[in-house]
mmCIF file with all atom_site columns, all heavy atoms in Angstrom:
data_model
loop_
_atom_site.group_PDB
_atom_site.id
_atom_site.type_symbol
_atom_site.label_atom_id
_atom_site.label_alt_id
_atom_site.label_comp_id
_atom_site.label_asym_id
_atom_site.label_entity_id
_atom_site.label_seq_id
_atom_site.pdbx_PDB_ins_code
_atom_site.Cartn_x
_atom_site.Cartn_y
_atom_site.Cartn_z
_atom_site.occupancy
_atom_site.B_iso_or_equiv
_atom_site.pdbx_formal_charge
_atom_site.auth_seq_id
_atom_site.auth_comp_id
_atom_site.auth_asym_id
_atom_site.auth_atom_id
_atom_site.pdbx_PDB_model_num
ATOM   1   N N   . LYS A 1 25  ? -19.704 12.342 15.188 1.00 0.00 ? 893  LYS A N   1
ATOM   2   C CA  . LYS A 1 25  ? -19.530 10.980 14.651 1.00 0.00 ? 893  LYS A CA  1
ATOM   3   C C   . LYS A 1 25  ? -20.491 9.996  15.326 1.00 0.00 ? 893  LYS A C   1
ATOM   4   O O   . LYS A 1 25  ? -21.159 9.213  14.663 1.00 0.00 ? 893  LYS A O   1
ATOM   5   C CB  . LYS A 1 25  ? -18.064 10.574 14.867 1.00 0.00 ? 893  LYS A CB  1
ATOM   6   C CG  . LYS A 1 25  ? -17.691 9.191  14.431 1.00 0.00 ? 893  LYS A CG  1
ATOM   7   C CD  . LYS A 1 25  ? -16.197 9.078  14.222 1.00 0.00 ? 893  LYS A CD  1
ATOM   8   C CE  . LYS A 1 25  ? -15.431 8.567  15.425 1.00 0.00 ? 893  LYS A CE  1
ATOM   9   N NZ  . LYS A 1 25  ? -15.701 7.185  15.794 1.00 0.00 ? 893  LYS A NZ  1
ATOM   10  N N   . SER A 1 26  ? -20.558 10.048 16.663 1.00 0.00 ? 894  SER A N   1
ATOM   11  C CA  . SER A 1 26  ? -21.433 9.108  17.380 1.00 0.00 ? 894  SER A CA  1
ATOM   12  C C   . SER A 1 26  ? -22.884 9.265  16.940 1.00 0.00 ? 894  SER A C   1
ATOM   13  O O   . SER A 1 26  ? -23.590 8.274  16.724 1.00 0.00 ? 894  SER A O   1
ATOM   14  C CB  . SER A 1 26  ? -21.371 9.378  18.886 1.00 0.00 ? 894  SER A CB  1
ATOM   15  O OG  . SER A 1 26  ? -20.128 9.003  19.393 1.00 0.00 ? 894  SER A OG  1
ATOM   16  N N   . ARG A 1 30  ? -25.551 6.639  14.557 1.00 0.00 ? 898  ARG A N   1
ATOM   17  C CA  . ARG A 1 30  ? -26.841 6.187  15.099 1.00 0.00 ? 898  ARG A CA  1
ATOM   18  C C   . ARG A 1 30  ? -28.001 6.619  14.218 1.00 0.00 ? 898  ARG A C   1
ATOM   19  O O   . ARG A 1 30  ? -28.928 5.844  13.961 1.00 0.00 ? 898  ARG A O   1
ATOM   20  C CB  . ARG A 1 30  ? -27.020 6.735  16.521 1.00 0.00 ? 898  ARG A CB  1
ATOM   21  C CG  . ARG A 1 30  ? -26.129 6.007  17.539 1.00 0.00 ? 898  ARG A CG  1
ATOM   22  C CD  . ARG A 1 30  ? -25.903 6.883  18.747 1.00 0.00 ? 898  ARG A CD  1
ATOM   23  N NE  . ARG A 1 30  ? -25.261 6.183  19.851 1.00 0.00 ? 898  ARG A NE  1
ATOM   24  C CZ  . ARG A 1 30  ? -23.954 6.012  20.005 1.00 0.00 ? 898  ARG A CZ  1
ATOM   25  N NH1 . ARG A 1 30  ? -23.120 6.469  19.079 1.00 0.00 ? 898  ARG A NH1 1
ATOM   26  N NH2 . ARG A 1 30  ? -23.474 5.377  21.071 1.00 0.00 ? 898  ARG A NH2 1
ATOM   27  N N   . SER A 1 99  ? -17.566 1.438  16.118 1.00 0.00 ? 967  SER A N   1
ATOM   28  C CA  . SER A 1 99  ? -18.976 1.802  16.325 1.00 0.00 ? 967  SER A CA  1
ATOM   29  C C   . SER A 1 99  ? -19.851 1.109  15.292 1.00 0.00 ? 967  SER A C   1
ATOM   30  O O   . SER A 1 99  ? -20.934 0.619  15.611 1.00 0.00 ? 967  SER A O   1
ATOM   31  C CB  . SER A 1 99  ? -19.167 3.313  16.184 1.00 0.00 ? 967  SER A CB  1
ATOM   32  O OG  . SER A 1 99  ? -18.429 3.995  17.161 1.00 0.00 ? 967  SER A OG  1
ATOM   33  N N   . ARG A 1 102 ? -19.961 -2.754 16.142 1.00 0.00 ? 970  ARG A N   1
ATOM   34  C CA  . ARG A 1 102 ? -20.653 -3.126 17.385 1.00 0.00 ? 970  ARG A CA  1
ATOM   35  C C   . ARG A 1 102 ? -22.121 -2.725 17.343 1.00 0.00 ? 970  ARG A C   1
ATOM   36  O O   . ARG A 1 102 ? -22.990 -3.496 17.743 1.00 0.00 ? 970  ARG A O   1
ATOM   37  C CB  . ARG A 1 102 ? -19.942 -2.499 18.575 1.00 0.00 ? 970  ARG A CB  1
ATOM   38  C CG  . ARG A 1 102 ? -18.528 -3.078 18.752 1.00 0.00 ? 970  ARG A CG  1
ATOM   39  C CD  . ARG A 1 102 ? -17.983 -2.808 20.124 1.00 0.00 ? 970  ARG A CD  1
ATOM   40  N NE  . ARG A 1 102 ? -16.641 -3.350 20.281 1.00 0.00 ? 970  ARG A NE  1
ATOM   41  C CZ  . ARG A 1 102 ? -15.559 -2.611 20.573 1.00 0.00 ? 970  ARG A CZ  1
ATOM   42  N NH1 . ARG A 1 102 ? -15.675 -1.300 20.730 1.00 0.00 ? 970  ARG A NH1 1
ATOM   43  N NH2 . ARG A 1 102 ? -14.390 -3.189 20.714 1.00 0.00 ? 970  ARG A NH2 1
ATOM   44  N N   . ARG A 1 130 ? -17.758 -8.553 23.835 1.00 0.00 ? 998  ARG A N   1
ATOM   45  C CA  . ARG A 1 130 ? -18.687 -7.682 24.560 1.00 0.00 ? 998  ARG A CA  1
ATOM   46  C C   . ARG A 1 130 ? -20.042 -7.548 23.853 1.00 0.00 ? 998  ARG A C   1
ATOM   47  O O   . ARG A 1 130 ? -21.039 -7.250 24.496 1.00 0.00 ? 998  ARG A O   1
ATOM   48  C CB  . ARG A 1 130 ? -18.034 -6.315 24.823 1.00 0.00 ? 998  ARG A CB  1
ATOM   49  C CG  . ARG A 1 130 ? -17.427 -5.703 23.605 1.00 0.00 ? 998  ARG A CG  1
ATOM   50  C CD  . ARG A 1 130 ? -16.678 -4.417 23.927 1.00 0.00 ? 998  ARG A CD  1
ATOM   51  N NE  . ARG A 1 130 ? -15.440 -4.618 24.670 1.00 0.00 ? 998  ARG A NE  1
ATOM   52  C CZ  . ARG A 1 130 ? -14.709 -3.651 25.193 1.00 0.00 ? 998  ARG A CZ  1
ATOM   53  N NH1 . ARG A 1 130 ? -15.112 -2.395 25.081 1.00 0.00 ? 998  ARG A NH1 1
ATOM   54  N NH2 . ARG A 1 130 ? -13.603 -3.903 25.837 1.00 0.00 ? 998  ARG A NH2 1
ATOM   55  N N   . ALA A 1 168 ? -17.984 -0.207 30.825 1.00 0.00 ? 1036 ALA A N   1
ATOM   56  C CA  . ALA A 1 168 ? -18.757 0.970  30.417 1.00 0.00 ? 1036 ALA A CA  1
ATOM   57  C C   . ALA A 1 168 ? -18.555 1.147  28.917 1.00 0.00 ? 1036 ALA A C   1
ATOM   58  O O   . ALA A 1 168 ? -17.454 1.442  28.467 1.00 0.00 ? 1036 ALA A O   1
ATOM   59  C CB  . ALA A 1 168 ? -18.260 2.205  31.166 1.00 0.00 ? 1036 ALA A CB  1
ATOM   60  N N   . SER A 1 169 ? -19.606 0.907  28.128 1.00 0.00 ? 1037 SER A N   1
ATOM   61  C CA  . SER A 1 169 ? -19.484 1.054  26.679 1.00 0.00 ? 1037 SER A CA  1
ATOM   62  C C   . SER A 1 169 ? -20.814 1.452  26.063 1.00 0.00 ? 1037 SER A C   1
ATOM   63  O O   . SER A 1 169 ? -21.780 0.690  26.085 1.00 0.00 ? 1037 SER A O   1
ATOM   64  C CB  . SER A 1 169 ? -18.994 -0.247 26.039 1.00 0.00 ? 1037 SER A CB  1
ATOM   65  O OG  . SER A 1 169 ? -19.171 -0.170 24.635 1.00 0.00 ? 1037 SER A OG  1
ATOM   66  N N   . ALA A 1 170 ? -20.821 2.650  25.483 1.00 0.00 ? 1038 ALA A N   1
ATOM   67  C CA  . ALA A 1 170 ? -22.042 3.122  24.819 1.00 0.00 ? 1038 ALA A CA  1
ATOM   68  C C   . ALA A 1 170 ? -22.303 2.318  23.553 1.00 0.00 ? 1038 ALA A C   1
ATOM   69  O O   . ALA A 1 170 ? -23.455 2.168  23.130 1.00 0.00 ? 1038 ALA A O   1
ATOM   70  C CB  . ALA A 1 170 ? -21.904 4.595  24.482 1.00 0.00 ? 1038 ALA A CB  1
ATOM   71  N N   . GLN A 1 171 ? -21.234 1.806  22.947 1.00 0.00 ? 1039 GLN A N   1
ATOM   72  C CA  . GLN A 1 171 ? -21.436 1.000  21.734 1.00 0.00 ? 1039 GLN A CA  1
ATOM   73  C C   . GLN A 1 171 ? -22.184 -0.274 22.076 1.00 0.00 ? 1039 GLN A C   1
ATOM   74  O O   . GLN A 1 171 ? -23.099 -0.683 21.359 1.00 0.00 ? 1039 GLN A O   1
ATOM   75  C CB  . GLN A 1 171 ? -20.081 0.656  21.098 1.00 0.00 ? 1039 GLN A CB  1
ATOM   76  C CG  . GLN A 1 171 ? -19.361 1.881  20.542 1.00 0.00 ? 1039 GLN A CG  1
ATOM   77  C CD  . GLN A 1 171 ? -17.963 1.588  20.064 1.00 0.00 ? 1039 GLN A CD  1
ATOM   78  O OE1 . GLN A 1 171 ? -17.432 0.489  20.283 1.00 0.00 ? 1039 GLN A OE1 1
ATOM   79  N NE2 . GLN A 1 171 ? -17.342 2.553  19.422 1.00 0.00 ? 1039 GLN A NE2 1
ATOM   80  N N   . ARG A 1 196 ? -22.361 7.823  27.075 1.00 0.00 ? 1064 ARG A N   1
ATOM   81  C CA  . ARG A 1 196 ? -23.108 8.726  26.176 1.00 0.00 ? 1064 ARG A CA  1
ATOM   82  C C   . ARG A 1 196 ? -24.470 8.139  25.845 1.00 0.00 ? 1064 ARG A C   1
ATOM   83  O O   . ARG A 1 196 ? -24.589 6.931  25.604 1.00 0.00 ? 1064 ARG A O   1
ATOM   84  C CB  . ARG A 1 196 ? -22.281 9.044  24.926 1.00 0.00 ? 1064 ARG A CB  1
ATOM   85  C CG  . ARG A 1 196 ? -21.954 7.872  24.060 1.00 0.00 ? 1064 ARG A CG  1
ATOM   86  C CD  . ARG A 1 196 ? -20.891 8.212  23.012 1.00 0.00 ? 1064 ARG A CD  1
ATOM   87  N NE  . ARG A 1 196 ? -19.587 8.275  23.612 1.00 0.00 ? 1064 ARG A NE  1
ATOM   88  C CZ  . ARG A 1 196 ? -18.493 8.761  23.017 1.00 0.00 ? 1064 ARG A CZ  1
ATOM   89  N NH1 . ARG A 1 196 ? -18.546 9.203  21.786 1.00 0.00 ? 1064 ARG A NH1 1
ATOM   90  N NH2 . ARG A 1 196 ? -17.338 8.787  23.630 1.00 0.00 ? 1064 ARG A NH2 1
ATOM   91  N N   . ILE A 1 320 ? -13.125 9.382  27.471 1.00 0.00 ? 1188 ILE A N   1
ATOM   92  C CA  . ILE A 1 320 ? -12.246 8.359  26.908 1.00 0.00 ? 1188 ILE A CA  1
ATOM   93  C C   . ILE A 1 320 ? -11.659 8.779  25.548 1.00 0.00 ? 1188 ILE A C   1
ATOM   94  O O   . ILE A 1 320 ? -10.501 8.522  25.277 1.00 0.00 ? 1188 ILE A O   1
ATOM   95  C CB  . ILE A 1 320 ? -12.975 6.977  26.867 1.00 0.00 ? 1188 ILE A CB  1
ATOM   96  C CG1 . ILE A 1 320 ? -11.974 5.844  26.796 1.00 0.00 ? 1188 ILE A CG1 1
ATOM   97  C CG2 . ILE A 1 320 ? -14.036 6.905  25.799 1.00 0.00 ? 1188 ILE A CG2 1
ATOM   98  C CD1 . ILE A 1 320 ? -11.277 5.547  28.091 1.00 0.00 ? 1188 ILE A CD1 1
ATOM   99  N N   . ASP A 1 321 ? -12.439 9.479  24.710 1.00 0.00 ? 1189 ASP A N   1
ATOM   100 C CA  . ASP A 1 321 ? -11.916 9.868  23.388 1.00 0.00 ? 1189 ASP A CA  1
ATOM   101 C C   . ASP A 1 321 ? -11.053 11.129 23.442 1.00 0.00 ? 1189 ASP A C   1
ATOM   102 O O   . ASP A 1 321 ? -10.330 11.425 22.494 1.00 0.00 ? 1189 ASP A O   1
ATOM   103 C CB  . ASP A 1 321 ? -13.068 10.091 22.400 1.00 0.00 ? 1189 ASP A CB  1
ATOM   104 C CG  . ASP A 1 321 ? -13.769 8.783  22.059 1.00 0.00 ? 1189 ASP A CG  1
ATOM   105 O OD1 . ASP A 1 321 ? -13.161 7.713  22.251 1.00 0.00 ? 1189 ASP A OD1 1
ATOM   106 O OD2 . ASP A 1 321 ? -14.928 8.834  21.610 1.00 0.00 ? 1189 ASP A OD2 1
ATOM   107 N N   . LYS A 1 348 ? -8.565  0.618  21.952 1.00 0.00 ? 1216 LYS A N   1
ATOM   108 C CA  . LYS A 1 348 ? -9.180  1.509  20.965 1.00 0.00 ? 1216 LYS A CA  1
ATOM   109 C C   . LYS A 1 348 ? -8.512  1.257  19.608 1.00 0.00 ? 1216 LYS A C   1
ATOM   110 O O   . LYS A 1 348 ? -7.910  0.214  19.403 1.00 0.00 ? 1216 LYS A O   1
ATOM   111 C CB  . LYS A 1 348 ? -9.044  2.966  21.412 1.00 0.00 ? 1216 LYS A CB  1
ATOM   112 C CG  . LYS A 1 348 ? -9.826  3.285  22.677 1.00 0.00 ? 1216 LYS A CG  1
ATOM   113 C CD  . LYS A 1 348 ? -11.326 3.233  22.419 1.00 0.00 ? 1216 LYS A CD  1
ATOM   114 C CE  . LYS A 1 348 ? -12.134 3.534  23.658 1.00 0.00 ? 1216 LYS A CE  1
ATOM   115 N NZ  . LYS A 1 348 ? -13.575 3.344  23.448 1.00 0.00 ? 1216 LYS A NZ  1
HETATM 116 C C1  . S3P B 2 .   ? -18.637 5.542  21.056 1.00 0.00 ? 232  S3P B C1  1
HETATM 117 C C2  . S3P B 2 .   ? -18.348 5.012  22.282 1.00 0.00 ? 232  S3P B C2  1
HETATM 118 C C3  . S3P B 2 .   ? -16.987 4.891  22.818 1.00 0.00 ? 232  S3P B C3  1
HETATM 119 C C4  . S3P B 2 .   ? -16.019 5.786  22.054 1.00 0.00 ? 232  S3P B C4  1
HETATM 120 C C5  . S3P B 2 .   ? -16.185 5.688  20.569 1.00 0.00 ? 232  S3P B C5  1
HETATM 121 C C6  . S3P B 2 .   ? -17.587 6.069  20.163 1.00 0.00 ? 232  S3P B C6  1
HETATM 122 C C7  . S3P B 2 .   ? -20.032 5.608  20.627 1.00 0.00 ? 232  S3P B C7  1
HETATM 123 O O1  . S3P B 2 .   ? -16.552 3.553  22.681 1.00 0.00 ? 232  S3P B O1  1
HETATM 124 O O2  . S3P B 2 .   ? -14.688 5.492  22.408 1.00 0.00 ? 232  S3P B O2  1
HETATM 125 O O3  . S3P B 2 .   ? -15.268 6.543  19.910 1.00 0.00 ? 232  S3P B O3  1
HETATM 126 O O4  . S3P B 2 .   ? -20.343 6.300  19.641 1.00 0.00 ? 232  S3P B O4  1
HETATM 127 O O5  . S3P B 2 .   ? -20.876 4.972  21.265 1.00 0.00 ? 232  S3P B O5  1
HETATM 128 P P1  . S3P B 2 .   ? -16.961 2.402  23.731 1.00 0.00 ? 232  S3P B P1  1
HETATM 129 O O6  . S3P B 2 .   ? -18.402 2.125  23.595 1.00 0.00 ? 232  S3P B O6  1
HETATM 130 O O7  . S3P B 2 .   ? -16.120 1.227  23.335 1.00 0.00 ? 232  S3P B O7  1
HETATM 131 O O8  . S3P B 2 .   ? -16.578 2.965  25.070 1.00 0.00 ? 232  S3P B O8  1
#
Side-chain angles (χ1 to χ4, degrees):
K893 178 160 94 67
S894 290
R898 286 157 170 85
S967 298
R970 294 198 180 120
R998 50 185 71 188
S1037 167
Q1039 293 173 351
R1064 63 192 76 192
I1188 201 76
D1189 291 339
K1216 294 291 180 186

